[in-house]
Amino acid sequence: MDNEKWIEIARTGTFTDTHGREKTFTRQDLDAIARAYDPKKRDAPLVFGHPALNAPAYGWAEKLKSENGRLFATFAQVPGEVREIVRKGHYRHVSMSLMPDGVTLRHVGLLGAAQPAIDGLAPVELASGEDCITVDFAAENQGDHMTVEELQKQVTVLTAQLESAKKELDAAKSAGEKAERARTDAEKGKEEAEKKAEKATADFAAYREDVEKERRERRVTALIEAGKVRPAEKAGVLNFAAALSKTETPIEFAAGDGKTESITLEERYWRELEERPADSRFADFTAPPAHTGNPPADSVNFTDVTSKL
């Protein structure tokens, strides 16, 4: 129920309660009822009929106010099933019950066939329909206005509607759990795919590095065999070429014919080495002639050679 929908539950005048007793309401009486109501101390439930124990509750009176000789109330926590029953006209009256002091609100009861003790009140809407409102006056051991058969029918209807609502809630919860599992599975699949992609990238980089090492090994071996690089220079040449390979951006170099050529620093370095004049003193002979003696002690300074590149 809309918490700000004010429902008229009493007006000034003299009326006869359900026990045949006359009760007169003045503006001061209605003002006193409104002022006395404090849901923090004692909240009045919305019930079916007028049960002695005021249970179960199908909503709670939230606020009362008195205006122009009429008493109004707002309600909170009214289930949708109750709104629907009122909308369909199963309950045509809403009755206010007071404690014996005539000031304290005991409860507000939804009535079926029972007639209101107060006539001439404005219609009330629990949902979207019209409903009459009446007032009852509480007394000790007060009975219910509805018959047992009427109450049993309404309890059966409410039970069925509550079960239906529970099934809908369970279905929605199950669907939500399935969606959450699907989302979790998707996230796990994404993480696995990312890990596989990272591993593939790392494996390719390692494979490429192995290929490049083998390529450099072949080129420096060829240079040694050609007498253009000393065997002692092999490690330095390989390390320097590997360092140059980190810069993969091609650079423009002037060729011998006057044209420019775009090659990497590493390739330029290899070409510079390959363009060196061969020195037989540094040649690597796997099977040297018998008359060949030990190689001369003097050698080419690798730092001086590379500085000229």
Side-chain angles (χ1 to χ4, degrees):
M1 184 183 303
D2 186 351
N3 291 344
E4 294 305 316
K5 181 180 287 296
W6 289 97
I7 298 173
E8 185 180 347
I9 60 176
R11 66 180 176 84
T12 56
T14 301
F15 311 97
T16 302
D17 68 10
T18 55
H19 293 276
R21 300 170 301 193
E22 287 190 351
K23 172 65 179 180
T24 298
F25 281 100
T26 65
R27 290 194 177 191
Q28 290 76 13
D29 293 329
L30 299 183
D31 291 343
I33 294 173
R35 287 195 306 270
Y37 187 67
D38 184 357
K40 294 181 180 179
K41 296 180 179 179
R42 187 183 190 282
D43 50 352
L46 178 66
V47 297
F48 285 99
H50 290 289
L53 297 178
N54 294 344
Y58 295 94
W60 299 90
E62 190 174 39
K63 292 182 289 186
L64 297 183
K65 72 175 181 179
S66 175
E67 289 184 354
N68 300 321
R70 293 179 182 272
L71 185 64
F72 300 87
T74 62
F75 295 89
Q77 303 178 28
V78 180
E81 294 87 346
V82 175
R83 302 173 191 237
E84 183 66 12
I85 288 176
V86 173
R87 185 187 68 80
K88 291 181 178 180
H90 294 294
Y91 288 86
R92 299 182 58 83
H93 311 296
V94 178
S95 177
M96 180 185 73
S97 178
L98 300 175
M99 297 298 288
D101 61 7
V103 176
T104 304
L105 181 63
R106 181 178 180 228
H107 63 240
V108 176
L110 293 172
L111 303 181
Q115 297 301 310
I118 298 179
D119 58 359
L121 297 180
V124 63
E125 293 184 1
L126 292 182
S128 58
E130 293 186 354
D131 308 284
C132 295
I133 300 176
T134 188
V135 173
D136 189 14
F137 305 103
E140 295 182 1
N141 301 321
Q142 179 177 326
D144 197 343
H145 289 290
M146 299 183 67
T147 65
V148 174
E149 290 78 10
E150 289 174 330
L151 279 174
Q152 185 59 48
K153 288 180 181 179
Q154 299 310 319
V155 169
T156 301
V157 171
L158 275 177
T159 300
Q161 291 178 342
L162 289 173
E163 287 297 325
S164 177
K166 183 178 182 299
K167 290 180 180 179
E168 293 179 359
L169 179 62
D170 291 342
K173 181 179 179 181
S174 177
E177 291 175 348
K178 290 181 179 179
E180 180 64 20
R181 286 195 297 269
R183 184 186 67 81
T184 301
D185 292 343
E187 290 180 351
K188 289 182 178 178
K190 180 182 178 182
E191 292 177 357
E192 291 177 358
E194 290 176 348
K195 290 180 180 178
K196 289 180 180 179
E198 291 175 358
K199 185 177 184 302
T201 300
D203 291 344
F204 177 76
Y207 170 76
R208 179 181 176 184
E209 181 64 23
D210 290 341
V211 171
E212 290 296 315
K213 286 181 179 179
E214 184 179 351
R215 177 185 60 80
R216 296 189 191 103
E217 186 72 27
R218 288 198 304 268
R219 294 189 78 166
V220 75
T221 298
L223 288 169
I224 292 173
E225 292 175 351
K228 297 182 178 182
V229 172
R230 292 181 302 163
E233 296 174 328
K234 179 178 179 179
V237 170
L238 289 175
N239 291 336
F240 190 58
L244 291 177
S245 69
K246 304 301 181 182
T247 304
E248 298 182 352
T249 304
I251 299 177
E252 299 289 336
F253 291 98
D257 56 2
K259 296 181 180 180
T260 59
E261 184 179 10
S262 179
I263 59 175
T264 63
L265 287 174
E266 182 190 7
E267 181 61 24
R268 174 61 183 273
Y269 174 58
W270 285 116
R271 292 187 185 184
E272 289 287 347
L273 293 176
E274 290 165 351
E275 290 173 1
R276 283 180 177 181
D279 189 336
S280 59
R281 293 179 302 169
F282 309 140
D284 183 14
F285 299 104
T286 58
H291 64 275
T292 303
N294 294 330
D298 58 332
S299 60
V300 177
N301 189 315
F302 175 70
T303 304
D304 293 339
V305 175
T306 55
S307 65
K308 297 177 181 179
L309 295 179

